[in-house]
Amino acid sequence: MQLRRLLRVRRPRRAGWAGLVLALLLPLLSVPAAGLSAHAAGGPAHEPTRSPARNPARVVAEVPIGDRMLDIGISSPETDAPVKWVRLLLPKGWSKSASRTWPVLWLLHGGGGNHRDWTANTHVEQLAADRDVLVVMPETSGCSSYSDWYNYGAWGSPAWETYLLDEVRPLLERDYRAGTARAVAGLSMGGLGALKFTAARPGMFRAAASYSGAVNPLYRSTDGGLSGPDGVKLGALACLADWKRVWGEPGYPFDTDDPADLRQQWLWKRNSPLEQAASLRGTPLYLSYGDGTTDGGPGWSWGSGDTPPAPSPARCTDPPVHGTQDPIERAVYGMNQQLRAKLAQLGIPATVCASKGGHSWPYWERELVASWPMLMGALGA
């Protein structure tokens, strides 16, 4: 998630200070206990059954941006918003009436982001210019977690997973010549989304990449840093939403000292790439993350031409411990170290680049370029 803007406003001297701020502010955003569903008190509540055939999403606007970019405004009751946008990078020869379809790369934004982030902060237009691929960059919300929200057990909107995979995807395949060969990549909160979608829908995506992904929402820091639930709380704070609406409460060891009090931890696990790692088997995976040390920068830049230099494999130094300069990437480091170990335990291969670095676009663009051949190869593009 892109929480750096929030942290700049409230940059803590110590991680414990951030926890104190959250403890003071988050109750102000919570609904009264009397208004909660009975499910909120704990005990698994089954997710609602949704029919992929039901697709209330409709296009309400199309905005061409040059010859090779199109913004589509979509209205759907699943989003809790009048319109959400999807930005498309169009391949050569594309038209809505074309007799063929194109393979699709989904790029997911981070917390606080939107559909414009990838084109505003990277050279993805140049990367895709000579590739026979349709790039899809959807807008969700700054704290969507790419999930169907729990809403204290009432479910309903926003339902971001349903919206993207059961509404936007078939809409693009029906009306915008998107094919069924798909890959997905995302940064931070979008890295969570890319891997959780791949695990939840085996076979839907041919490859998945996560850059600084929040891949273990139940990550617990043991040395005073941010834990996974802190990220959910901060993200919801930025959205002016109650964080408990997303997945409920994680239970022990967070916010309770009772080991038997697990609350809605089952749902946190349902949305965790770490917990669902076994379902990633068979999909080519790319994981990149930093250690929270930002001295020296990424050591790579696009340069002045249309073709970037290949990032050096020497960047993947595999730091044995995290740094302390970037509190978000410090937590991301711990999450990804755990996922990496889990994949190895399960015998699931993945391309991994752990390096020095922070939670910012120069590192994410570098890793987009590094993972591009894998993503395009999976799509045959």
Side-chain angles (χ1 to χ4, degrees):
M1 65 195 85
Q2 292 172 260
L3 294 174
R4 182 169 304 285
R5 279 168 282 184
L6 184 62
L7 288 176
R8 280 175 179 162
V9 177
R10 304 181 180 87
R11 191 169 185 86
R13 293 184 181 275
R14 295 183 295 113
W17 186 89
L20 176 61
V21 171
L22 288 170
L24 292 173
L25 291 180
L26 287 169
L28 300 177
L29 299 174
S30 302
V31 299
L36 301 185
S37 155
H39 293 313
H46 293 294
E47 296 178 74
T49 300
R50 297 182 182 274
S51 171
R54 176 182 173 271
N55 188 350
R58 59 191 181 91
V59 175
V60 296
E62 290 186 351
V63 181
I65 304 172
D67 295 332
R68 300 283 295 276
M69 192 184 303
L70 178 66
D71 281 357
I72 302 170
I74 297 178
S75 174
S76 168
E78 306 289 8
T79 68
D80 243 3
V83 177
K84 284 293 179 181
W85 292 90
V86 176
R87 174 160 288 187
L88 303 180
L89 290 181
L90 307 172
K92 291 180 180 178
W94 179 92
S95 75
K96 292 175 69 173
S97 59
S99 60
R100 59 160 295 186
T101 61
W102 280 265
V104 181
L105 172 64
W106 289 70
L107 290 179
L108 307 183
H109 66 75
N114 58 43
H115 62 293
R116 298 184 295 269
D117 278 10
W118 284 99
T119 53
N121 295 287
T122 74
H123 293 76
V124 66
E125 292 176 73
Q126 288 92 320
L127 277 175
D130 294 324
R131 297 286 187 167
D132 203 32
V133 64
L134 176 68
V135 182
V136 175
M137 295 162 284
E139 174 189 26
T140 59
S141 77
C143 58
S144 70
S145 293
Y146 291 93
S147 300
D148 292 357
W149 282 23
Y150 179 66
N151 285 323
Y152 322 115
W155 301 99
S157 63
W160 296 110
E161 181 174 329
T162 294
Y163 167 68
L164 291 178
L165 301 188
D166 295 331
E167 295 185 7
V168 174
R169 178 189 57 79
L171 185 153
L172 295 176
E173 291 172 4
R174 184 189 69 210
D175 297 333
Y176 292 87
R177 310 314 296 152
T180 57
R182 314 174 195 92
V184 62
L187 63 93
S188 196
M189 183 181 76
L192 161 73
L195 295 187
K196 75 180 285 293
F197 284 173
T198 301
R201 311 285 181 106
M204 179 172 283
F205 299 99
R206 294 187 179 184
S210 167
Y211 318 120
S212 298
V215 296
N216 179 14
L218 290 170
Y219 169 72
R220 186 185 186 194
S221 173
T222 58
D223 57 5
L226 294 171
S227 291
D230 293 328
V232 177
K233 293 174 183 180
L234 282 167
L237 187 63
C239 286
L240 298 180
D242 178 11
W243 64 273
K244 298 173 187 176
R245 289 182 60 197
V246 182
W247 297 322
E249 298 180 81
Y252 182 82
F254 308 99
D255 303 322
T256 174
D257 296 324
D258 181 2
D261 184 1
L262 299 180
R263 305 188 191 189
Q264 289 79 49
Q265 193 165 127
W266 61 273
L267 185 55
W268 288 67
K269 290 181 177 180
R270 147 70 172 85
N271 286 280
S272 166
L274 177 73
E275 297 291 339
Q276 304 302 321
S279 295
L280 296 172
R281 189 183 303 277
T283 302
L285 303 173
Y286 187 94
L287 305 179
S288 68
Y289 54 98
D291 67 346
T293 301
T294 56
D295 289 342
W300 177 93
S301 65
W302 181 279
S304 59
D306 291 333
T307 303
S312 170
R315 76 192 186 284
C316 306
T317 56
D318 206 5
V321 296
H322 65 70
T324 58
Q325 293 174 311
D326 187 322
I328 300 175
E329 199 70 8
R330 170 181 172 179
V332 163
Y333 171 88
M335 294 181 189
N336 280 272
Q337 288 286 87
Q338 291 178 339
L339 177 58
R340 179 180 181 178
K342 182 68 172 290
L343 292 172
Q345 176 188 356
L346 295 171
I348 298 175
T351 300
V352 178
C353 181
S355 66
K356 291 185 177 297
H359 207 73
S360 63
W361 280 102
Y363 298 97
W364 298 329
E365 177 170 47
R366 183 189 71 185
E367 297 308 315
L368 173 66
V369 170
S371 60
W372 192 257
M374 183 205 82
L375 295 168
M376 295 298 103
L379 293 174

